[in-house]
Amino acid sequence: FNAQLPSGLQTRVAGDGLTATTLSYAVYEQGKTTPVITSEDEVTFENRQASVSLRLAKGKTYDFLFWADAYGKDDAENPYTVDFDTQTLAVDYDNALSNDESRDAFFGKATAVAVKGAVSENIILKRPFAQLNIGTNDMAEAKASGLNTEALQSSVKVSGIFSGMNLMTGIPDPSTSTEVTFGLNAIPEETFTADGRTFNYLALNYLLVSDQKGLVNCEFKYSDGVTTDTRTIDNVPVQR
């Protein structure tokens, strides 16, 4: 298997996927939920690709799950718990900070792979998240008016996101719907483009949501240590 991060992520900017450096995986007999193989050690990505070689039984058919993030499986700071025995993801939002690129992660699957001989598969991993970007096009004016833009921090409170999902189906667990506050943290230095216009980032956060269109409500706060402002942004459209 050649696991690949999305091809559109080309340069080192916020949200480029480069913080996802390790790959873990599980192998199942087709339709089963108990893995016959799980990765003992994570595989490292190089140039957004990671290769996995497996010895499987000829004549059998298998399903596969893949997960990529910035943490080792024994890292106590890892906010993600991937349980290959239940094929689920659990997200720990305790102490989550806004604008934390280390929370970027990806997942993928391959199903009904029949082993009749040597098999080679390419798997494109995708985020289980929506990427919520908040920006401004008047940063220079704000600086001229006295805001210390070099010291800006932001936080975002979001309701209507999830803390758990089934990795095989990609469906969030509705019982885990929650409200999360991503705490104050330095804003990203990069810019992003929307509707043909360029904006300075004020906040960037990864929200576990459905692959169907939905709405979330946000409370956004920024501070330079002296001046603080809070804005409410309701009915923000999101989709994985």
Side-chain angles (χ1 to χ4, degrees):
F1 288 93
N2 182 34
Q4 305 172 40
L5 299 181
S7 59
L9 309 177
Q10 297 298 328
T11 58
R12 182 65 194 103
V13 295
D16 64 3
L18 282 176
T19 54
T21 54
T22 59
L23 177 73
S24 54
Y25 57 88
V27 183
Y28 307 83
E29 290 191 24
Q30 184 184 17
K32 305 292 186 181
T33 56
T34 300
V36 293
I37 300 174
T38 56
S39 49
E40 295 298 324
D41 298 299
E42 294 93 343
V43 180
T44 301
F45 280 91
E46 294 185 8
N47 298 321
R48 296 186 178 87
Q49 299 188 63
S51 296
V52 175
S53 296
L54 299 166
R55 297 178 65 87
L56 302 172
K58 188 175 180 180
K60 289 196 172 185
T61 303
Y62 296 92
D63 299 329
F64 304 81
L65 279 178
F66 301 89
W67 174 261
D69 63 26
Y71 301 87
K73 61 183 178 182
D74 297 323
D75 191 334
E77 300 298 317
N78 192 344
Y80 303 122
T81 299
V82 175
D83 188 339
F84 287 126
D85 289 323
T86 59
Q87 301 181 337
T88 57
L89 165 70
V91 182
D92 182 359
Y93 291 111
D94 291 345
N95 304 313
L97 296 178
S98 187
N99 319 314
D100 183 359
E101 272 292 291
S102 69
R103 296 185 77 92
D104 200 4
F106 299 82
F107 79 116
K109 68 178 180 179
T111 58
V113 178
V115 180
K116 300 177 181 179
V119 176
S120 179
E121 295 262 347
N122 291 325
I123 306 297
I124 303 297
L125 305 184
K126 298 181 179 180
R127 285 191 178 97
F129 314 115
Q131 182 178 311
L132 177 65
N133 301 322
I134 299 175
T136 181
N137 62 357
D138 63 354
M139 188 72 83
E141 290 84 349
K143 184 175 182 178
S145 69
L147 191 70
N148 184 0
T149 55
E150 284 76 21
L152 276 181
Q153 295 185 310
S154 65
S155 69
V156 178
K157 181 167 68 174
V158 188
S159 61
I161 64 175
F162 300 92
S163 63
M165 70 174 286
N166 183 296
L167 288 169
M168 190 63 78
T169 65
I171 299 174
D173 180 349
S175 70
T176 67
S177 180
T178 186
E179 180 179 86
V180 174
T181 297
F182 296 89
L184 276 172
N185 197 20
I187 65 171
E189 297 179 357
E190 294 87 354
T191 60
F192 67 94
T193 301
D195 295 329
R197 295 188 295 164
T198 299
F199 296 86
N200 291 99
Y201 270 109
L202 290 175
L204 181 159
N205 288 286
Y206 297 103
L207 314 180
L208 188 65
V209 297
S210 171
D211 61 354
Q212 305 298 310
K213 292 180 179 178
L215 299 172
V216 297
N217 295 322
C218 303
E219 184 180 280
F220 163 67
K221 180 171 74 174
Y222 68 85
S223 175
D224 67 353
V226 177
T227 301
T228 299
D229 193 12
T230 300
R231 310 285 179 92
T232 298
I233 312 169
D234 291 329
N235 298 321
V236 179
V238 294
Q239 186 175 11
R240 182 183 311 153

